[in-house]
Each structure stands twice: as structure tokens, then as C-alpha cells.
């Protein structure tokens, strides 16, 4: 080195001056890329290293402190779940956790929505970076910070966090936080997840992390402002209190540790946990085969209009490195709500690992820290701050599915597994979001916990479980419908009844979803929304010869009062979607089908809205399915005998359901021969089937085949540079429809010679 | 030594080939895409996902739209086992889904015992008798 030490000093001084100048003149502390793009555990600080030096050898102490902290996190979780007012809280869409002094989530509750475990460290790091030394804010004992804006680290802004610093003798030692899917947030549609949002400003409250609690008291002026900004002011207050008290309980438990073992043992335990989890994760990755696995899934709608939107991944494993590369995925859509900020995408992949691959690891950020993620800038999985993301669930669920699908292909050969190899879970929130004025005159906006009833994927030696759990929480509940009905003015007339013949077939079939038929009864200001893709094409894949699920529409019956029908002619009511839609039992009613992106729709008493939860993916060749399992599914009305014979090639007596084993074997062998005749050699198939461009008449977003130098932005003619795709605006579907009708009208006018009433320009 | 890679495929490390686990058919070189040795069939979605509501009456029927998604089935050319299914964009090329680093696989398994059946992972079912008081 030729540089003298004084030169370096000057440089550092200059740098400090520049940094000070920039800090003092920053007009707006927006989402900070330095914080937001980093999901890793921060480097070990000097103090942490000292604490480790002192205590890391005492494995017994480390483990006993960790057990106490993890019991505390579970206690906080229970408190929020029991006391929380939001439906999401009651049914487990919650997490509580303990964060290191640097802000890394180290110990989260075992239950709840683990995606938060990869997200809430971002706002804490924002607070550390910006508010600790800020004289107008500061961080003191008894302070609490609120946050919900996903651009500062969240899934979507319907989730609210309460964050508390924990002090010991005046020194900050760690942080605690509690996060709940609250629902209402004052967005343009009720319930907090507007699919109609075309800009971030349509999405309701956008809380960057700020102080709402001092001396353990919620500041009433700020609370009132927040209440005034949402449709459910009572809920806003109740749940802020609940989260605060859960955090205070966590703080109390940590203080017990501090008084019994001291702050250095606590710090050592937190660092020790993170380091050991990261070491173990690297070891587990090393056990996987070195390989590149490629997969993609497609969203079939923006929730406003049908379109094909690709979420593409190549997962590269080499040595102890595991890289998720989303190159080739759709660019962000500037005026549609289905984009996600990068942390949401990463969080969902983290959750695939914590829920379904390594569920035995401590719930924290360390489990995902060693895994790398590459995303194209301004893409559907890494959207800019200018793109709305209130329905980020659509794209992040696809991130989950491609991660789960790819992981299964790595896991099969690994000798030591921690869970079953699994076909993709059903991945959409097929449920009703609702809002309006209820039977007690209160304004509400929230959703049915049936979103938690997603069908489980088939396993390598077992069928998938029905309506088991959402992909974002392995331990969550569907709730009691009757309890719900005390608060909302509608009934679920059909609920928890599996939707026949919507199974994802395989040697082991996916767990199925159930039918939901709802109808408003006691309010004339009440409506529903549905927000899911997958009405034209499934958003999952099957595994190793198993099929994906089918597609799931929304069905509506208008111009009927089904409560009158039930009162006067109950036999007319039917309990399944096919019976109602195919038989059309109600006179003069209007029957229709729609994609699952229903914008908020004001309902009338007695009209029917009908949907189904979905099935998890199937596993293996259906011709290998044990006929006894096929019969069991028929007996449970999951499938009809006719369909069973068609899919599974089982020869059975439809009356007795007795299987002819010999004939079944013969039929299956015959069918395998048919496959050999109908199948085309790969090279020939590629030549016949593969197109060099996406379909001409379907709006398509993403890369085509293996050409990643171009992304399509809605049509063959609109090709963009994936590194800088630029804005993509989609015309309002209502305007599209008006234009269609106007041109039809023009044609009719021209034909009939009828003039328009007003022809002025 | 042979490594079980999927429900229906294994890699023979010595011959460097993908093989069918059902009929022992040699599918193709392990340094390449196993799909190239298979038969492909473009399946009508209605065969698998029946339109449970009337197709003639309604636009959305529980059956995926065949113009919007292709179901590609991959069969062993010798025994007809369905080894893989891909839900593909219409006209999109099938994926090279498992590109194995064969040399790394050989090195990894040089430290392991051959497995004739895959491990399934821990059993999580509760022993009901033990807890039934
Ligand atoms: Zn074979």
C-alpha cells in the first residue's frame, strides 16, 4: 500500500462529512434499499462476540435460555390469538418474536404466519438506523412503534406490527414484536386487500415505522388519527392494545432472563441460536444433490382481467449454496395490485422451508439467511415502490409453490429427510372477503377464515390432507362459522362439504377443498369480494407424474331470495354448486360464472355467491393408486365412480363398489400400452408443439421458452428489456367492455341507419 | 451404484444413465435431460379435471381452459409409466427440470451407502394407545 495513514484519515473524515450532510438534508426517509434488500443475519458485533466467548461453551445455559424465550414467544402468540379482535388474530394469522439488538428475528412463535419471521426485521432495522439517534423521536424504555407498509418490510399493509425495544439498566438489549393480519386499513375496498388498487395510494394506511406508545401507553391523539383512517375504529384500538400487551409480556419474560442470567448470557443465546441455525442450514443444503431445478407457475389473472403471468424459477444448488433465481418472471404491472416487494417473495420462500422442509429448526430469520435470491428489477416478484402490492399474495403464493415444487426434486434422493417429499400445496385464498354495515349497525371489513382451509399436497407415501392449513401457517384454524355469524349479516348455507370431482389425481391424491355458499340476510349494505387466481388455469404443479388441481370459478345466482325459498319450499334448495348451476332450481333467477377476482360487490338478501377451496397437487402415476383408496374416496363422495374409473382405471361394480382386482390389473396394463401408442417421442413433440412466441390472442407477461433477454408485456408486439421493463398500464376492464359495446353499437347503427341521439364531437 | 432421483427415475453412476425404476429401461444419459428419452402426450384438461358445471352454459367450469394451459404427460417408452406431468403455457417448450451435476453426485455418493428404497423422513403420527388413559 502506498497510501499514508493521514490520507486515509482525511478520506474517512470527508466521508463522515458527506454522510452527515446527506443525513441532515434528507427530505424523506423512504424505504431503504440497504435494509430492504438484505434478508441475512447481520454480522456478529464485537459485543456479541465477547458474550459468545463467555457463554457459548455452556450449551446447557444456552439451551435453557432459548427454551424460555421460545416459550415466551408462544405465550405472546397465545395472548394475541385469544384476545385479538381481528378474525386473522383469532385464527392464527399472527406471529410474536424476539429480535436481536441489531434487529434480526432470532426466536419466533412456533405457530402462526411464519412469513412475518422474514419480514419484521426490516422495520426494526429502519428504527435502529433512523430513530434511535433522531432527537425528535428517540428510542426509550416503554416506547412502542407501529408499522404496516410492505415497502418497509411486510407482506401487505393489512398486517400491522407493534415493536418494542427491551432495555436493561438503560441499555438496549433486544427487541420484541407482534404482528397480526388485521384486515381493515382504510383502502378503497373494505378488508384491507383491495384488488382494485391501481396505485399505492389506493391501498389505505401506509405506516412507515413510527412511535405510538410512550411509557407503555398508547398515545391517544395518534390512535384517534389511525381509527379515523379505517373502517373499523374499534378493531384498530383493541388490537393495538392486544399487541402491546403481548409485547409487554415478552418483555417481562426477557427481564426474568436478564435478572437470572444477565444481559450477556441473553445476547450470547440470541447470537448462538442464529449462528448454529445458519451452520445447520448450510450442512443440510450440502446434503442435497448439486443440480439446477427449473419450474414455473402461471397466474391466470390480475384479479381485474384474465391474463397469463409467469413466475419462473431456476433453483441452483452447488456445495453449501442454494440460489433461487427468478429471472424470466413477469415484469411488474404498474396499475395492478398483484406485485410484491422483494421481502414478501423471500419471506414466502422462507416459509416453504420453515413449514414444509425443515420444520424442526427454530422459527427465525437464520433458517433462510444462508439461502440466496436473485430477482429481476421491477418484476412481479421484486416490484418498485411505485407499484401497488395490496394483493401481493397472488405473486408470493406462486413464489412459495415454485420453491416447494423445486425443493421436492432436490429432496427425493437425500438420505436424511426432516419431512415427507410433498407435492405442491393448494396456494390460493379461495375465501370471501366481506364488508359493509352488519346487523348491529356496525361498519366492518374483513374476511372468512376459510382461507386457512387449503388442501394439502400429496406425500410420497400418503394422500394429502383435506382443507388442512394455509401455505402461510402450518398451525392455523378455520374458526367457528356460528360465532362468525353473530357478527356478520350473512350465512354460509353450505360449508365444509368437499367439492366432488375436484381432486388432483395421482398414486397419492392431493387433499381436497370444500364448497362455500354464502348469502346475505340481515343487511342491505353488505358485499363480498374474492381475490384468487386459478379460475382458468391452476397456479400449482403436480409431482412425479401426479396432476395439479383443476380450476376454481366463482358462481353467482342473482334475482333470488334463497331465504324465502328455504322458508316456503325448502326442497328446492340444493347443497352443491353443480346441482344449483346445472339444474337451475330457482325460477327467474340469473345464473353466472366469473373468475375469482371479484371486486367488491354489493349483495342483495338471499342471492348466492358460491366458491370452492382448492386441492393440493397429486403425487405419482394415477394408475398405481391402490384401488382400496379409490373406493374410500368414492365412499366419502370425494369422487364419483364414473370419474374414478376414467382417471384411475379401476374396474368396479358401481352398486357394490367391489373392485375386480384382476380386471383392474389388465385394464391398467392395457392403458399403459395405449399411452405408449399415443405418446410422441420428445424431439418430435417439441418440433410439432413448441412455438417460438407466446399465443397471439392471450395477454402474456414474462419470458418465453428459455429466452431471458426479452420479457413480454401483454402481447407479442410488446417486448421489453427485462433489466428495465418500464411502466405497464392495463386498461380498466370496464373501459375495455365499453369500447367493445360501442363498436358493436356502431356496427348495428351503420346497418340499421339509426343515428346516435347526440352526434356532436 | 444407483441413486434414486425421483419416484420413477434413478441415475446409474457407473453407466452415467437415467433409468426407469419400474422396468429398468435406460432412459438416456445422466448428463442430459431425461425427458428427451420419454414419450410426451398433450392431454385434454377435461380428461383429468371434469367440468363439473355445464360447459355449454358457463364460461368457468372447474375445468382448466385448454387454450390457456397445456397438460404435458411424460411416459416411459418401455413400460408406459407416467413419470412426470407438466402444466405448461400453451405452446411453451417443456422444461429441462433436473440438470444434474453428475460428477458432484458421484463424489457425494462415494461417501454414502447405496439406497434401494428412498428414506421417507420422520414419522409424525401419534401412538394413540400409549396416550389413551
Ligand atoms: Zn419403465
Amino acid at each position: 500500500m502506498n497510501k499514508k495513514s493521514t490520507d486515509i484519515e482525511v478520506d474517512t473524515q470527508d466521508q463522515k462529512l458527506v454522510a452527515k450532510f446527506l443525513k441532515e438534508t434528507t427530505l424523506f426517509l423512504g424505504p431503504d434499499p440497504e435494509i430492504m434488500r438484505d434478508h441475512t443475519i447481520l454480522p456478529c458485533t464485537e459485543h456479541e462476540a465477547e458474550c459468545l466467548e463467555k457463554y457459548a461453551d455452556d450449551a446447557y445455559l444456552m439451551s435453557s435460555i432459548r427454551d424460555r424465550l421460545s416459550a415466551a414467544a408462544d405465550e405472546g402468540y397465545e395472548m394475541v390469538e385469544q384476545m385479538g379482535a381481528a378474525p386473522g388474530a383469532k385464527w392464527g394469522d399472527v406471529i410474536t418474536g424476539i429480535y436481536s439488538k441489531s434487529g434480526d428475528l432470532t426466536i419466533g412463535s412456533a405457530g402462526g404466519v411464519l412469513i412475518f419471521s422474514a419480514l419484521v426485521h426490516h422495520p426494526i432495522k429502519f428504527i435502529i438506523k433512523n430513530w434511535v439517534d433522531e432527537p425528535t423521536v428517540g428510542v426509550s424504555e416503554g416506547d412502542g412503534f407501529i408499522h404496516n407498509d410492505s415497502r418497509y418490510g411486510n407482506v401487505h399493509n393489512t398486517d400491522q406490527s407493534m415493536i418494542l425495544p427491551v432495555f436493561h439498566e438503560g441499555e438496549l438489549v433486544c427487541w420484541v414484536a407482534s404482528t397480526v393480519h388485521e384486515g381493515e386499513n382504510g383502502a378503497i375496498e373494505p378488508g384491507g386487500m383491495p384488488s382494485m388498487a391501481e396505485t399505492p395510494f389506493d391501498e389505505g394506511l401506509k405506516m412507515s415505522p413510527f412511535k405510538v406508545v410512550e411509557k407503555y401507553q398508547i398515545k391517544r391523539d395518534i390512535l384517534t388519527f389511525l381509527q379515523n383512517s379505517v373502517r373499523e375504529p374499534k378493531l384498530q384500538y383493541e388490537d393495538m392494545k392486544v399487541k402491546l400487551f403481548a409485547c409487554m409480556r415478552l418483555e417481562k419474560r426477557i427481564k426474568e432472563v436478564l435478572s437470572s442470567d444477565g444481559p450477556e448470557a441473553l445476547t450470547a443465546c440470541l447470537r448462538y441460536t442464529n449462528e448454529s441455525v445458519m451452520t445447520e442450514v448450510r450442512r443440510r443444503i450440502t446434503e442435497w444433490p448439486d443440480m439446477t431445478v427449473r419450474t414455473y407457475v402461471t397466474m391466470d389473472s390480475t384479479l381485474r382481467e384474465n391474463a397469463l403471468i409467469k413466475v419462473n424459477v431456476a433453483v441452483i444448488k452447488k456445495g453449501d449454496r442454494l440460489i433461487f433465481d427468478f429471472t424470466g418472471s413477469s415484469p411488474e404491472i404498474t396499475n395492478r395490485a398483484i406485485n410484491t416487494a422483494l421481502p414478501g417473495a423471500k419471506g414466502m420462500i422462507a416459509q416453504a422451508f420453515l413449514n414444509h422442509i425443515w420444520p424442526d429448526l427454530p422459527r427465525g430469520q437464520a433458517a433462510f439467511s444462508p439461502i440466496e435470491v436473485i430477482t429481476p428489477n421491477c418484476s412481479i416478484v421484486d416490484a418498485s415502490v411505485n407499484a401497488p402490492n395490496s394483493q401481493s399474495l397472488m405473486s408470493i403464493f406462486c413464489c412459495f409453490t415454485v420453491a416447494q415444487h423445486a425443493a421436492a426434486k432436490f429432496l427425493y434422493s437425500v438420505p436424511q429427510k426432516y419431512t415427507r417429499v410433498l407435492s405442491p400445496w393448494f396456494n390460493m385464498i379461495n375465501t370471501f372477503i366481506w364488508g359493509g354495515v352488519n346487523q348491529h349497525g356496525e361498519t366492518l371489513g374483513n374476511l372468512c377464515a376459510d382461507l386457512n382451509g387449503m388442501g394439502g399436497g400429496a406425500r410420497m407415501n400418503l394422500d394429502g390432507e383435506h382443507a388442512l392449513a394455509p401455505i402461510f401457517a402450518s398451525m392455523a384454524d378455520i374458526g367457528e362459522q356460528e360465532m362468525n355469524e353473530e357478527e356478520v349479516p350473512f350465512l354460509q348455507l353450505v360449508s365444509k362439504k368437499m367439492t366432488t370431482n375436484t381432486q388432483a389425481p395421482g398414486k397419492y391424491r392431493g387433499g381436497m377443498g370444500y364448497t362455500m355458499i354464502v348469502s346475505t340476510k340481515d343487511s342491505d349494505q353488505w358485499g363480498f369480494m374474492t381475490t384468487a387466481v386459478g379460475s382458468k388455469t391452476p397456479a400449482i404443479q403436480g409431482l412425479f407424474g401426479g396432476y395439479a388441481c383443476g380450476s376454481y370459478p366463482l358462481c353467482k345466482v342473482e334475482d333470488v331470495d334463497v331465504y324465502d325459498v328455504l322458508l316456503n319450499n325448502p326442497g328446492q334448495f340444493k347443497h352443491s354448486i353443480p346441482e344449483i348451476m346445472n339444474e337451475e332450481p330457482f325460477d327467474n333467477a340469473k345464473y353466472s360464472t366469473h373468475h375469482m377476482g371479484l371486486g367488491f360487490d354489493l349483495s342483495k338478501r338471499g342471492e348466492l355467491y358460491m366458491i370452492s377451496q382448492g386441492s393440493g397437487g397429486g403425487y405419482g402415476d394415477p394408475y398405481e393408486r391402490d384401488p382400496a383408496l379409490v373406493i374410500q374416496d368414492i365412499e366419502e363422495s370425494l369422487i364419483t365412480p364414473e370419474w374414478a374409473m376414467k382417471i384411475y382405471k379401476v374396474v368396479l361394480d358401481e352398486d357394490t363398489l367391489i373392485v375386480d382386482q384382476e380386471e383392474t390389473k389388465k385394464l391398467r396394463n392395457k392403458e399403459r400400452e395405449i399411452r405408449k401408442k399415443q405418446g410422441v417421442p420428445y424431439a418430435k413433440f417439441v418440433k410439432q408443439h413448441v412455438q417460438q412466441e407466446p399465443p397471439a390472442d392471450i395477454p402474456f407477461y414474462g419470458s418465453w421458452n428459455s429466452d431471458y433477454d426479452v420479457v413480454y408485456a401483454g402481447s407479442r408486439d410488446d417486448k421489453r428489456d427485462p433489466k428495465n421493463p418500464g411502466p405497464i398500464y392495463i386498461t380498466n376492464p370496464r373501459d375495455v367492455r365499453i369500447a367493445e359495446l360501442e363498436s358493436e353499437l356502431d356496427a348495428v347503427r351503420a346497418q340499421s341507419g339509426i343515428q346516435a341521439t347526440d352526434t356532436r364531437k | 451404484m444407483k441413486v434414486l432421483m425421483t419416484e420413477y427415475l434413478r441415475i446409474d453412476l457407473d453407466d452415467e444413465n437415467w433409468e426407469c425404476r419400474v422396468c429398468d429401461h435406460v432412459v438416456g444419459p445422466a448428463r442430459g435431460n431425461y425427458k428427451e428419452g420419454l414419450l410426451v402426450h398433450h392431454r385434454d384438461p377435461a380428461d383429468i379435471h371434469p367440468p363439473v358445471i355445464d360447459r355449454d352454459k358457463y364460461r368457468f367450469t372447474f375445468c382448466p381452459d385448454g387454450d390457456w394451459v397445456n397438460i404435458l404427460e411424460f411416459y416411459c417408452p418401455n413400460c408406459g409409466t407416467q413419470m412426470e406431468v407438466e402444466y405448461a403455457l400453451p405452446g411453451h417448450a417443456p422444461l429441462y427440470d433436473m440438470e444434474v451435476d453428475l460428477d458432484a453426485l458421484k463424489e457425494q455418493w462415494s461417501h454414502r451407502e447405496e439406497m434401494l428404497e428412498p428414506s421417507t423422513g420422520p414419522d409424525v403420527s401419534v401412538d394413540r394407545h400409549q396416550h389413551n388413559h
Side-chain angles (χ1 to χ4, degrees), chain B residues 16-60:
Chain B
E16 302 195 352
N17 279 322
W18 289 100
E19 294 177 356
C20 172
R21 288 178 60 197
V22 179
C23 72
D24 300 334
H25 172 74
V26 172
V27 171
R31 291 183 195 275
N33 181 357
Y34 68 85
K35 284 181 184 168
E36 290 176 12
L38 304 183
L39 301 175
V40 195
H41 179 58
H42 179 187
R43 171 68 67 186
D44 178 355
D47 289 346
I48 310 300
H49 309 287
V52 299
I53 55 178
D54 192 342
R55 260 178 142 170
D56 298 329
K57 246 191 249 180
Y58 300 112
R59 285 166 60 205
F60 298 90

Side-chain angles (χ1 to χ4, degrees), chain A residues 216-271:
Chain A
Y216 302 105
Q217 299 285 320
I218 294 172
K219 287 157 64 106
R220 201 68 202 241
D221 54 344
I222 295 180
L223 170 68
T224 305
F225 160 71
L226 296 177
Q227 290 178 296
N228 193 39
S229 307
V230 299
R231 291 176 183 81
E232 294 203 41
K234 272 190 350 196
L235 173 87
Q236 183 64 34
Y237 184 29
E238 275 175 77
D239 278 3
M240 277 172 72
K241 270 169 82 173
V242 167
K243 280 175 289 191
L244 173 62
F245 280 103
C247 286
M248 284 164 64
R249 180 66 61 87
L250 277 169
E251 186 197 37
K252 181 171 177 246
R253 297 295 180 228
I254 291 168
K255 289 200 164 173
E256 287 165 9
V257 171
L258 289 169
S259 70
S260 63
D261 301 295
E264 290 184 328
L266 175 83
T267 301
C269 170
L270 296 178
R271 190 72 215 180

